């Protein structure tokens, strides 16, 4: 009996379905929140290690509880709403950021069949939700009634819209290769797709450039260094977050890291073979897919932290140049290459709806 | 359940549509407009058109409305002055919307094409074993290819027009040319000069 089936039997059709999904949502959201706390810790530790410091090491064993202490401190602080702020929009902005960062996890397959909503437009859903993420930032920037926050909001709006364009083309290449928008299908299409032994689009010379571009685009989408101009602390104090305190700031912070974690999960799903082991070799399948997935996520997060620790921030015109003059033509050209190659090798011959 | 969802989305859609034109603050208007787009996407999902719903969110909410919001935030419009003439134009607006409403009602209720006019029959829904997305693709790029490419050309013309109208060359602007910077070598830029006593170096 399925999990949902058990609930429906116990509580009837409607309430059972509702309770089952509520339980599943909590089963995703709670680990994500714990993951965010650990990710913040890991980020600081990796960053410290690269600068030959110790990083957080006081609160709890190895400083593991540092994030929780920080959260508790934020929780105790006073929520300040600036005079002249547009109160409704000001309070809604962090909520939007936080909710969108959690909502997007609904379609992520953690293992074969282990997914809350197996949408057949899963990839578009992710794209839609992540493109809405800009509203939290732009609304907070405007509603704060502060010049720093406003500049941060404008920067981020321009930046995220610019990089979404090339991100869209990269996703097009992946979905053409998988012939599906469903994330589970995309993962399964990577099974042994390179020389019959390697699992993962990243090993495929056709999609390798897309994987590299996607990683950089994702850094820009999540406002991570070297693209953290919306919150550039040296120029804008903290950008759009400058007027926020207490839990409203904490929601931004949690949302931002939940987004980063999600992108760390999305890159493996699209390019590293998701829950599949890197080699299509029977003994490797003994390790559960979930473990592979988490390991790949951790690897991607390390790469994120690595970039943050080593690369200096871009200048704004350079950021725009990279987005519009380098990534957009390159990804568009590569979509043509990928679709041409797939067309001439007969990849689409079996697709439904082909004349 | 579906009926409840429909009335919820439809109510929110109409309310936010109303708020778009009544909100005092233009930025609030745009935010209500975004809520309206979002609820329209919800209606698409109820219809089983999940691909269109996602496209609506990606294109309108994620791109068009962001740029719109961007512009409205930067502009300093006196909306009081704009709204002053609203009552004067109310009859005209009502007339136009009445005509559009009447036309929609006529088309949806028993309109038939004239004799000899060939209109494609309405498509019932995706065939077996085909998702919504594949079905739209297979129709759009075969049956409606001409209309589709015409729409694309129109957009291209609009884009070129917008760029031509707004593009300007500013004089005295120093731009970074990254290729030139990367092509620089020490041999081309560095030199050791020897300054004689009481003389400068030629640069």
């Amino acid at each position: 009996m399925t999990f949902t089936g058990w609930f429906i039997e116990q509580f009837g059709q409607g309430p059972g379905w509702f309770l089952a999904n509520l339980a599943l949502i909590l089963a995703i959201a709670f680990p994500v929140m714990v993951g965010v706390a650990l990710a913040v810790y890991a980020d600081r530790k990796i960053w410290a290690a690269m600068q030959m410091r110790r990083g957080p090491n006081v609160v709890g064993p190895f400083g593991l509880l540092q994030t929780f202490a920080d959260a508790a401190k934020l929780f105790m602080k006073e929520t300040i709403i600036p005079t002249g702020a547009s109160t409704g929009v000001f309070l809604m902005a962090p909520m939007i950021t936080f909710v969108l960062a959690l909502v997007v996890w609904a379609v992520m397959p953690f293992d074969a069949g282990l997914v809350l909503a197996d949408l057949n437009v899963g990839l578009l859903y992710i794209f839609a939700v992540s493109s809405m993420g800009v509203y939290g930032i732009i609304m907070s920037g405007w509603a704060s009634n502060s010049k720093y926050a406003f500049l941060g909001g404008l920067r981020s709006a321009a930046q995220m819209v610019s990089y979404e364009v090339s991100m869209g083309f990269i996703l097009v290449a992946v979905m053409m290769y998988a012939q599906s928008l469903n994330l589970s299908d995309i993962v399964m299409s990577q099974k042994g797709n390179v020389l019959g032994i390697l699992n993962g689009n990243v090993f495929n010379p056709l999609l390798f450039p897309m994987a590299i571009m996607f990683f950089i685009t994702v850094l820009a989408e999540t406002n991570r260094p070297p693209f953290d101009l919306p919150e550039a602390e040296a120029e804008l104090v903290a950008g759009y977050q400058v007027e926020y305190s207490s839990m409203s700031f904490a929601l931004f912070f949690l949302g931002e890291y939940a987004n980063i974690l999600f992108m760390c999960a999305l890159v493996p799903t699209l390019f590293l073979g998701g829950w599949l082991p890197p080699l299509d070799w029977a003994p490797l399948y003994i390790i559960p897919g979930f473990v592979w997935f988490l390991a790949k996520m951790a690897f991607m997060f390390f790469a994120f932290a690595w970039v943050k620790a080593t690369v200096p921030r871009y200048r704004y015109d350079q950021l725009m140049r990279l987005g519009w003059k380098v990534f957009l033509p390159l990804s568009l050209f590569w979509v043509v290459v990928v679709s041409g190659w797939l067309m001439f090798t007969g990849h689409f011959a079996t697709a439904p709806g082909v004349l | 359940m579906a009926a409840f969802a429909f009335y919820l989305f439809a109510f929110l859609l109409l309310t936010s549509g109303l708020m778009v034109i009544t909100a005092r603050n233009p930025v609030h208007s745009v935010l209500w407009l975004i809520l309206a787009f979002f609820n329209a996407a919800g209606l698409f999902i109820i219809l089983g058109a999940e691909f269109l719903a996602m496209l609506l969110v990606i294109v309108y909410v994620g791109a068009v409305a962001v740029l719109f919001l961007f512009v409205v935030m930067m502009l300093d419009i006196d909306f009081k002055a704009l709204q002053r003439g609203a009552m004067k134009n109310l009859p005209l607006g009502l007339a136009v919307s009445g005509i559009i409403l009447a036309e929609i009602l006529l088309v949806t209720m028993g309109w038939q094409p004239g004799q000899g006019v060939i209109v494609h029959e309405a498509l019932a829904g995706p065939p077996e074993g085909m998702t919504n997305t594949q079905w739209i693709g297979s129709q759009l790029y075969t049956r409606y290819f001409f209309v589709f490419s015409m729409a694309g050309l129109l957009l291209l013309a609009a884009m070129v027009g917008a760029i031509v109208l707004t593009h300007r060359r500013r004089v005295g602007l120093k731009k970074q040319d990254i290729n030139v910077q990367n092509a620089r070598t020490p041999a081309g830029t560095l030199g050791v000069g020897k300054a004689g006593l009481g003389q400068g170096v030629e640069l």
Side-chain angles (χ1 to χ4, degrees):
Chain A
M1 192 189 295
T2 59
F3 181 76
T4 317
W6 184 82
F7 270 91
I8 285 174
E9 196 168 273
Q10 298 290 314
F11 302 101
Q13 184 64 37
W17 184 86
F18 180 77
L19 285 174
N21 274 295
L22 196 65
L24 289 172
I25 289 168
L26 287 178
I28 293 176
F30 186 66
V32 165
M33 281 297 104
V34 175
V36 163
L38 292 179
V40 176
Y41 168 77
D43 210 12
R44 295 176 66 176
K45 270 290 192 195
I46 295 166
W47 206 10
M50 289 195 191
Q51 296 173 344
M52 301 179 78
R53 293 184 286 116
R54 280 174 198 272
N57 61 350
V58 175
V59 188
F62 310 107
L64 264 171
L65 298 177
Q66 180 67 50
T67 323
F68 298 99
D70 288 347
K73 186 199 75 177
L74 273 178
F75 197 72
M76 301 296 175
K77 288 195 168 186
E78 182 192 352
T79 308
I80 298 167
I81 298 172
T83 33
S86 179
T87 316
V89 182
F90 183 82
L91 290 178
M92 219 139 71
M95 294 182 205
I96 287 180
T97 304
F98 184 69
V99 167
L100 287 178
L102 285 184
V103 148
V104 72
W105 284 91
V107 292
M108 178 52 69
F110 298 98
D111 197 348
L114 195 63
V115 50
L116 177 64
D118 204 14
L119 295 186
N120 62 12
V121 286
L123 202 53
L124 285 181
Y125 173 84
I126 289 173
F127 196 47
V129 175
S130 78
S131 69
M132 268 159 45
V134 66
Y135 283 112
I137 296 176
I138 198 170
M139 279 165 74
S140 64
W142 177 79
S144 301
N145 195 22
S146 151
K147 286 199 173 61
Y148 288 128
F150 189 55
L151 283 173
L154 290 185
R155 278 184 179 191
S156 116
Q159 172 181 337
M160 288 174 91
V161 169
S162 310
Y163 278 84
E164 250 152 40
V165 185
S166 56
M167 189 178 172
F169 282 121
I170 294 164
L171 295 184
V172 164
V174 174
M175 66 180 81
M176 270 195 306
Y177 190 84
Q179 293 191 24
S180 174
L181 292 169
N182 180 304
L183 285 172
S184 303
D185 287 352
I186 288 173
V187 171
M188 284 322 282
S189 79
Q190 300 177 39
K191 190 170 192 255
N193 70 342
V194 184
L195 307 169
I197 176 107
L198 291 167
N199 293 333
N201 283 335
V202 71
F203 303 116
N204 191 335
L206 200 58
L207 290 169
F208 177 72
M210 287 301 201
I212 301 295
M213 271 195 277
F214 190 70
F215 178 65
I216 299 171
T217 309
V218 154
L219 288 178
E221 277 288 304
T222 50
N223 294 327
R224 280 287 281 194
F227 305 108
D228 61 339
L229 286 127
E231 49 195 280
E233 53 281 277
E235 313 144 32
L236 295 181
V237 203
Y240 59 92
Q241 309 168 337
V242 71
E243 300 293 344
Y244 284 86
S245 61
S246 182
M247 278 318 278
S248 51
F249 171 76
L251 285 183
F252 266 125
F253 196 74
L254 291 174
E256 199 175 302
Y257 267 89
N259 252 333
I260 290 165
L261 269 192
F262 180 79
M263 288 302 175
C264 290
L266 184 63
V267 176
T269 312
L270 296 182
F271 290 104
L272 301 179
W275 66 78
L276 300 168
L279 289 178
D280 195 19
W281 182 47
L284 287 180
Y285 284 92
I286 296 167
I287 301 171
F290 188 65
V291 175
W292 282 115
F293 186 80
L294 281 185
K296 286 172 182 178
M297 250 178 92
F299 170 72
M300 283 318 297
F301 189 79
F302 179 75
F304 266 63
W306 190 0
V307 171
K308 181 177 177 169
T310 47
V311 186
R313 186 179 296 135
Y314 262 64
R315 212 174 58 206
Y316 200 70
D317 61 316
Q318 291 170 333
L319 172 94
M320 282 295 155
R321 176 186 170 273
L322 187 71
W324 289 106
K325 291 190 180 168
V326 180
F327 277 9
L328 179 60
L330 208 60
S331 56
L332 185 56
F333 170 71
W334 208 256
V335 163
V336 175
V337 170
V338 170
S339 54
W341 174 264
L342 294 179
M343 194 74 208
F344 287 117
T345 51
H347 191 71
F348 297 130
T350 53
V354 168
L355 290 179
Chain B
M1 193 64 201
F4 171 73
F6 170 77
Y7 284 115
L8 179 72
F9 284 131
F11 174 72
L12 285 174
L13 177 61
L14 289 178
T15 316
S16 42
L18 198 68
M19 291 305 290
V20 173
I21 50 174
T22 52
R24 293 267 165 105
N25 192 323
V27 174
H28 291 175
S29 280
V30 179
L31 293 175
W32 283 112
L33 181 70
I34 292 158
L35 189 63
F37 285 144
F38 198 72
N39 285 301
L43 287 178
F44 270 128
I45 288 193
I46 296 174
L47 285 173
E50 73 272 8
F51 181 69
L52 284 183
M54 292 303 151
L55 278 200
L56 190 71
V57 175
I58 293 169
V59 175
Y60 284 92
V61 179
V64 174
V66 173
L67 295 179
F68 210 61
L69 194 62
F70 195 98
V71 173
V72 170
M73 277 180 180
M74 304 275 279
L75 291 179
D76 190 20
I77 321 170
D78 185 9
F79 259 67
K80 284 275 158 53
L82 278 179
Q83 279 170 347
R84 228 163 273 154
M87 283 319 265
K88 201 176 66 187
N89 293 324
L90 190 66
L92 184 69
L94 280 179
V96 170
S97 42
I99 290 170
I100 293 175
L101 180 68
E103 282 175 349
I104 291 174
L105 287 178
L106 282 177
V107 168
T108 49
M109 297 159 84
W111 170 80
Q112 293 290 330
Q115 208 81 61
V117 178
I118 301 157
V119 177
H120 284 306
E121 77 280 11
L123 298 161
E128 268 308 295
M130 211 191 255
T131 64
N132 209 309
T133 319
Q134 287 166 333
W135 187 55
I136 288 178
S138 68
Q139 294 297 317
L140 203 60
Y141 290 104
T142 53
R143 212 166 136 165
Y144 301 107
F145 184 71
F146 181 67
V147 185
F148 180 71
S149 24
M150 285 322 281
L153 274 179
L154 264 179
L155 286 176
L156 180 68
M159 191 175 82
V160 171
I163 292 172
V164 167
L165 285 176
T166 55
H167 188 72
R168 58 182 173 142
R169 268 181 216 290
R170 276 187 281 180
V171 284
L173 199 67
K174 274 188 171 175
K175 270 193 182 162
Q176 183 183 26
D177 190 340
I178 290 184
N179 293 326
V180 171
Q181 287 185 344
N182 284 341
R184 273 160 64 115
T185 54
T189 47
L190 286 181
V192 182
K194 203 158 196 178
L197 201 62
Q199 293 162 323
V201 212
E202 288 276 323
L203 282 174

